[in-house]
Amino acid sequence: MRVRHALLAAGAAAALAFGSVPAATAATATAVPGPAAMNPCGFYKTASDAHYNHCTGDGSRIVIEIEVFGPNYEWCVGPGETWLGSASKIQGARYVGRTC
């Protein structure tokens, strides 16, 4: 995913340098979070990683319970995407109903 971020940023910079993208469009594109905006809200997995995407517009931080093989644990996450770990080690994650 980092490679995709770098490529998108490089493409946007090149487009701005050559004037092929209007400034308003370029500013909007760079202000919007990358893959987190395209991924589902809540817990999801890719082939190798587990993530939690906290979709909010108010900047709140929430507590999630991370389900693993063994004792579960809690994390405080902010808006956007949070990498939880390897998909093979994380079974799931859920909002526990409180902020942090």
Side-chain angles (χ1 to χ4, degrees):
M1 281 198 196
R2 289 178 191 221
V3 172
R4 184 169 59 177
H5 279 130
L7 290 174
L8 289 173
L16 282 174
F18 295 109
S20 62
V21 176
T25 303
T28 302
T30 57
V32 174
M38 296 180 281
N39 292 324
C41 296
F43 176 74
Y44 71 94
K45 285 185 178 184
T46 64
S48 59
D49 298 304
H51 301 266
Y52 191 91
N53 190 11
H54 175 38
C55 300
T56 182
D58 65 6
S60 62
R61 299 179 60 79
I62 61 168
V63 177
I64 61 170
E65 179 181 14
I66 300 173
E67 301 166 4
V68 295
F69 301 104
N72 294 347
Y73 55 94
E74 293 182 343
W75 269 9
C76 177
V77 298
E81 185 175 329
T82 300
W83 180 77
L84 302 179
S86 170
S88 64
K89 296 181 179 183
I90 307 293
Q91 293 178 301
R94 65 177 186 84
Y95 172 55
V96 299
R98 65 183 194 272
T99 57
C100 50

